[in-house]
Amino acid sequence: MRKKAIKPSAYLTEVKTLSDRIVKAQQPIRILDAIKWDDHIKQAFFDSDCKQSPIVTPDYYQKRPLGFDPNEKKQEFYQIERDLMRKLGQLNPLSVIMRRICKEYLDVVRMLETRGKPTFANISQELYGSSQDVFHVGDPTIADLGSMMEETLSQLLKLDFLVEEPKTINAKDAVAILNEKIEAVFPGDGLRAMLSDGIVADAAAGTDYIKLRADAWFNMRDLRVLEVHEIWVHLGTTLNGLAQPYCTFLGKGPPSATITQEGLAVLMEILTFSSTPNRLMRLINRVRAITLAEEGADFMDIFDFFRDKGLDKEESYTLSSRVFRGSSSDGMPFTKDLTYIKGFVLTYNFMRLAVSKGKPDRIPLLFCGKTMIEDMKVLVDLVEEGTVIAPRFLPPQFKDLMGLSSWMSFSRFMSTMNFRQLEQDYANVL
């Protein structure tokens, strides 16, 4: 890409100062910590022989301190937003992006203030989406896409030769294996895998670490998924974002960046042939569970849904609590788990269109940090003028734009074919 004239140093200094203020302001906000259910809720549920729905009220959440004063935090983001207008202007592209981020964090604070109340779920839908959202007029909803994928995956899961290998690697050994992979990809960067007792999922990425739940078990394919999903995407984009000299906000992601992040991570699983039908079905089941909850299902309904899918009581409880965390057991869901499928569709289509428009060089910019699809056109200009630096780390598949472009070109071509007609044409072949 052709380099544009470098912006004056006074402007870049102002950008960095305002960006740093956003990074500092968001530091104490920990959404998942603020909304998770404690072990005593789980124990009470199992003590009832899984018959009594967990009792989670607004009072329960009030006893979980946020770690910041909501009113002060809202005023802080509002002040940053006003200063962006005063110092960068209303139409300056970076001002637009950073003001939107401030507004998102204001919504996050308001959401956390209303834990256990209907407003919590309403704001969650604004931030992460709803299962009834569509990408374009007349398109299937996210719930419809989930049902379509479920139909195909259900057939694959019946096949004996696609059964996953047993999970024989304990969390301690998995940490050692992942640390070797991290060191190979990011030598000397201080990133690490570690054990944790405080997470709901089997694994979760932080700023410079991956946490594995201490009692979780894995197989080698699980660890491959963690490598490409958590290390290459989540840690990789964090590292690239933290390397930004001026737009330091790219090192931290608001909810809209989560959509792109999880979409990229799922896409990496598929591009590297790391994912499995069982893994994808787990993601689809989360979409189905949120859909059911948005349609009025309560915790017990969702728990029974997962049990009917063949999951044990522990995993069924864990997945059901993910749906209702931050809410009540008979309230509307926390919709963050829609971001995997929603983000995949958005990032995949962005890449297909970038290739079809002759702009595949735009695709690696998704890794500049915690980016958002809607900012990509602006990001190109920012990289050309030197305000944002190109990603230091890229997964191998995104370094090879020739291979990626070829793959996406055929993907674009094949998507134009009528699949129902293909089914009829190939009926005597398959």
Side-chain angles (χ1 to χ4, degrees):
M1 284 185 278
R2 180 176 56 85
K3 283 277 186 181
K4 289 188 175 182
I6 299 297
K7 291 283 186 179
S9 59
Y11 168 79
L12 295 176
T13 299
E14 198 68 74
V15 166
K16 185 177 189 309
T17 298
L18 291 162
S19 182
D20 286 346
R21 285 174 63 188
I22 294 175
V23 172
K24 183 179 180 181
Q26 64 79 45
Q27 282 177 347
I29 300 175
R30 296 288 181 266
I31 298 176
L32 300 186
D33 285 344
I35 65 176
K36 69 182 181 182
W37 293 359
D38 287 335
D39 287 341
H40 77 267
I41 294 176
K42 175 181 176 180
Q43 190 57 52
F45 177 71
F46 285 118
D47 287 346
S48 74
D49 197 25
C50 304
K51 295 292 193 295
Q52 183 176 342
S53 196
I55 301 174
V56 185
T57 65
D59 288 341
Y60 163 76
Y61 292 111
Q62 289 303 313
K63 295 174 183 176
R64 295 191 64 86
L66 293 175
F68 59 88
D69 181 279
N71 290 325
E72 291 180 1
K73 190 57 64 180
K74 285 186 289 188
Q75 182 59 35
E76 185 177 6
F77 279 114
Y78 175 75
Q79 191 59 55
I80 297 172
E81 189 181 346
R82 294 306 309 156
D83 288 345
L84 282 160
M85 287 280 286
R86 295 185 185 106
K87 298 181 178 182
L88 297 187
Q90 180 176 348
L91 300 181
N92 175 280
L94 272 176
S95 175
V96 172
I97 291 173
M98 288 195 277
R99 278 167 28 230
R100 188 189 68 231
I101 290 173
C102 287
K103 285 184 169 66
E104 274 199 50
Y105 280 122
L106 283 167
D107 284 340
V108 168
V109 174
R110 282 191 283 265
M111 180 179 74
L112 296 181
E113 281 184 297
T114 58
R115 291 172 296 174
K117 301 176 182 178
T119 304
F120 172 88
N122 293 340
I123 300 176
S124 168
Q125 289 181 337
E126 289 296 318
L127 293 170
Y128 300 105
S130 162
S131 66
Q132 299 308 311
D133 290 347
V134 298
F135 295 99
H136 306 285
V137 175
D139 274 4
T141 64
I142 293 175
D144 292 335
L145 291 174
S147 297
M148 292 161 60
M149 287 189 66
E150 183 179 25
E151 183 180 344
T152 299
L153 292 171
S154 295
Q155 294 296 320
L156 296 176
L157 291 175
K158 295 175 183 177
L159 303 175
D160 293 340
F161 56 86
L162 291 182
V163 173
E164 292 190 17
E165 61 189 81
K167 298 179 186 293
T168 58
I169 304 172
N170 62 39
K172 182 179 179 182
D173 291 340
V175 163
I177 294 170
L178 288 178
N179 275 324
E180 289 181 4
K181 295 180 181 296
I182 291 171
E183 185 59 27
V185 177
F186 304 113
D189 282 312
L191 307 181
R192 67 200 186 284
M194 57 196 293
L195 294 175
S196 173
D197 292 317
I199 58 174
V200 175
D202 287 348
T207 302
D208 59 355
Y209 59 82
I210 298 175
K211 288 182 178 180
L212 301 189
R213 201 177 72 245
D215 61 352
W217 288 81
F218 305 87
N219 57 38
M220 285 306 296
R221 186 176 284 271
D222 293 332
L223 298 186
R224 175 59 173 170
V225 168
L226 290 177
E227 179 184 10
V228 301
H229 185 117
E230 305 289 353
I231 298 174
W232 289 9
V233 175
H234 294 329
L235 290 188
T237 53
T238 295
L239 202 66
N240 291 335
L242 293 175
Q244 294 298 330
Y246 309 112
C247 297
T248 53
F249 66 85
L250 286 171
K252 302 290 182 181
S256 57
T258 301
I259 295 170
T260 309
Q261 279 288 295
E262 298 301 355
L264 270 178
V266 172
L267 183 58
M268 277 310 319
E269 292 181 32
I270 294 170
L271 284 175
T272 58
F273 287 8
S274 302
S275 198
T276 66
N278 194 50
R279 159 72 175 165
L280 293 179
M281 182 62 94
R282 288 198 295 272
L283 297 181
I284 295 304
N285 282 340
R286 295 180 193 175
V287 173
R288 293 283 295 119
I290 289 172
T291 302
L292 292 171
E294 287 187 326
E295 293 172 349
D298 63 14
F299 180 92
M300 293 305 304
D301 295 325
I302 301 304
F303 180 79
D304 291 340
F305 164 79
F306 284 118
R307 291 289 282 151
D308 290 342
K309 293 290 184 180
L311 304 183
D312 61 28
K313 292 188 294 186
E314 285 278 345
E315 190 168 6
S316 295
Y317 173 86
T318 297
L319 292 174
S320 300
S321 64
R322 284 178 70 108
V323 173
F324 292 98
R325 52 189 169 171
S327 184
S328 60
S329 57
D330 61 351
M332 292 289 280
F334 177 57
T335 59
K336 178 180 177 292
D337 277 347
L338 296 177
T339 61
Y340 297 91
I341 302 304
K342 181 178 180 179
F344 170 78
V345 172
L346 290 172
T347 54
Y348 179 66
N349 283 335
F350 169 78
M351 293 181 191
R352 288 201 305 159
L353 285 169
V355 169
S356 69
K357 297 292 184 182
K359 299 177 181 179
D361 55 329
R362 307 288 174 91
I363 296 175
L365 300 186
L366 287 166
F367 287 86
C368 283
K370 307 303 181 183
T371 59
M372 289 159 262
I373 293 290
E374 54 264 49
D375 296 334
M376 294 311 298
K377 192 168 186 178
V378 172
L379 200 58
V380 171
D381 293 336
L382 294 174
V383 171
E384 287 181 352
E385 71 188 24
T387 305
V388 170
I389 60 173
R392 164 189 163 193
F393 165 77
L394 281 173
Q397 290 74 16
F398 290 86
K399 290 179 181 178
D400 181 8
L401 287 182
M402 286 193 292
L404 185 64
S405 296
S406 298
W407 197 88
M408 288 293 174
S409 295
F410 271 99
S411 172
R412 171 72 179 88
F413 164 70
M414 295 299 293
S415 68
T416 63
M417 304 186 75
N418 186 317
F419 191 76
R420 293 302 178 191
Q421 185 61 51
L422 286 173
E423 284 184 314
Q424 294 177 18
D425 292 345
Y426 281 70
N428 294 327
V429 179
L430 288 172

